[in-house]
Amino acid sequence: MPDMDTGGFQERFYSSSDGLTLYARDYRPEAAATAEKLPVICLPGLTRNARDFHPLALLLCQDKTDPRRVITLDLRGRGNSAWDENKANYNLAVEMADIVAACAAFGIERAIFIGTSRGGLILHLIAATRPDLLEAVVLNDIGPLIEAEGLALIRDYLNSGRRPADWAEVAEILRENHGASFTALGEHDWREMALALYRDVGGRPVADFDPTIAEALKSIDFSQPLPDLWAQFESLSRVPLMLIRGENSPLLSQETASKMARLHPGLILHSAEGQGHAPLLHLGNIPAVIRAFLATFR
């Protein structure tokens, strides 16, 4: 399988407050085009990474009328960021501190944030503790309440133990796990997803995250209600907000999305047709919807 396009960005490394080396991609148009525009910072899902946002980042960075600087991050233990020897540090509070450290390292005092799944959960915490960083937020298929059934599905496929022998098998596994809910995806999309989620290690594709992150899901007691972030969402209600929900999402229910809209009257709700959890943001009309949202901010 050919490599994913890696042009259009600068690789950046920075240090967390506890000394871990973390990684980001910095997509920068000409300075004159973005001098007075707020950047966009993209936060990935639980086991995903900065590559997830590459096609969208190029679209936003190279926009003819409203180009934006875009920074996409690898959370600790994912992608090119270092794995943490203290596995307890794979938690929302520590990862939130890493995002704050990234903003400081790159000289960003305020930004528009896009958070996919876990990245969106982190944004709930940032809204409650560092609201000064948030000009606006796009939540990708995540809210203050997660459906237990959807999280159990994620737990099961991440811990299936199946190790693909080649890249064709990676795409096959992804289709088996997600094909029913991602009817909008074509052959090229599955190959692109494979390249975003796996890396080549000795000629064989390997999932690009610390396995401890997936193993931690096994400890969740699904007989008990999952904790929620409604209190933190109240802080998000003071921030311009767009919510993208996968039409077939098992993680974010329509009921929760509707409640979020009631609590945040200005919320813009967009359904990603033919997609599940979490929608690929560069497909269909999603880029146009995001660009229209961004255009309302300097």
Side-chain angles (χ1 to χ4, degrees):
M1 182 180 289
D3 291 337
M4 175 183 277
D5 174 26
T6 56
F9 61 88
Q10 177 185 358
E11 294 191 301
R12 306 284 298 271
F13 290 90
Y14 65 100
S15 293
S16 67
S17 60
D18 56 355
L20 213 61
T21 299
L22 305 178
Y23 173 84
R25 290 180 167 191
D26 195 348
Y27 298 77
R28 303 194 73 163
E30 291 184 7
T34 59
E36 298 181 0
K37 295 179 182 177
L38 292 170
V40 176
I41 299 179
C42 300
L43 313 181
L46 177 67
T47 58
R48 304 179 82 118
N49 58 69
R51 298 195 299 278
D52 226 21
F53 296 102
H54 181 65
L56 177 68
L58 288 178
L59 288 171
L60 299 181
C61 175
Q62 298 171 1
D63 189 286
K64 298 294 185 182
T65 58
D66 187 28
R68 296 272 175 172
R69 180 187 182 188
V70 181
I71 297 173
T72 68
L73 303 179
D74 283 349
L75 301 178
R76 61 176 61 204
R78 292 85 157 177
N80 290 325
S81 286
W83 291 13
D84 199 322
E85 293 183 3
N86 182 358
K87 305 308 180 182
N89 282 337
Y90 294 130
N91 66 67
L92 293 178
V94 171
E95 291 164 10
M96 180 198 72
D98 292 343
I99 305 309
V100 174
C103 291
F106 302 144
I108 295 172
E109 297 180 353
R110 197 166 180 83
I112 302 164
F113 285 80
I114 299 176
T116 292
S117 194
R118 187 178 182 91
L121 295 179
I122 294 170
L123 288 173
H124 280 69
L125 300 191
I126 292 177
T129 59
R130 286 296 308 273
D132 56 295
L133 290 174
L134 304 179
E135 175 69 20
V137 167
V138 177
L139 295 178
N140 183 20
D141 208 58
I142 195 66
L145 181 64
I146 292 175
E147 297 301 309
E149 182 179 351
L151 187 58
L153 287 172
I154 294 173
R155 174 201 61 190
D156 292 344
Y157 73 69
L158 288 179
N159 290 286
S160 67
R162 183 173 175 184
R163 298 181 179 180
D166 54 37
W167 287 101
E169 189 175 357
V170 174
E172 177 185 333
I173 291 172
L174 292 173
R175 275 194 299 268
E176 288 176 2
N177 287 330
H178 307 293
S181 57
F182 280 86
T183 56
L185 272 62
E187 188 67 29
H188 171 77
D189 300 312
W190 293 114
R191 292 197 303 268
E192 193 170 66
M193 185 185 293
L195 290 167
L197 298 179
Y198 285 69
R199 70 163 62 235
D200 186 284
V201 178
R204 184 168 181 164
V206 175
D208 201 8
F209 60 88
D210 185 339
T212 304
I213 297 168
E215 292 169 6
L217 296 178
K218 296 178 182 178
S219 65
I220 297 174
D221 182 359
F222 285 96
S223 68
Q224 301 297 318
L226 295 176
D228 65 64
L229 294 173
W230 287 113
Q232 290 78 8
F233 181 75
E234 184 177 348
S235 297
L236 270 177
S237 68
R238 296 187 286 273
V239 178
L241 183 62
M242 170 179 283
L243 173 62
I244 296 170
R245 179 182 178 269
E247 179 185 31
N248 306 315
S249 175
L251 201 76
L252 177 64
S253 71
Q254 182 60 59
E255 180 182 3
T256 297
S258 297
K259 181 176 178 179
M260 293 167 69
R262 290 195 302 271
L263 294 175
H264 192 310
L267 181 146
I268 299 171
L269 177 58
H270 179 76
S271 177
E273 296 181 1
Q275 297 207 60
H277 181 80
L280 304 181
L281 298 179
H282 59 282
L283 296 185
N285 63 350
I286 299 177
V289 171
I290 292 177
R291 282 194 295 240
F293 182 65
L294 296 180
T296 61
F297 307 98
R298 292 305 299 166

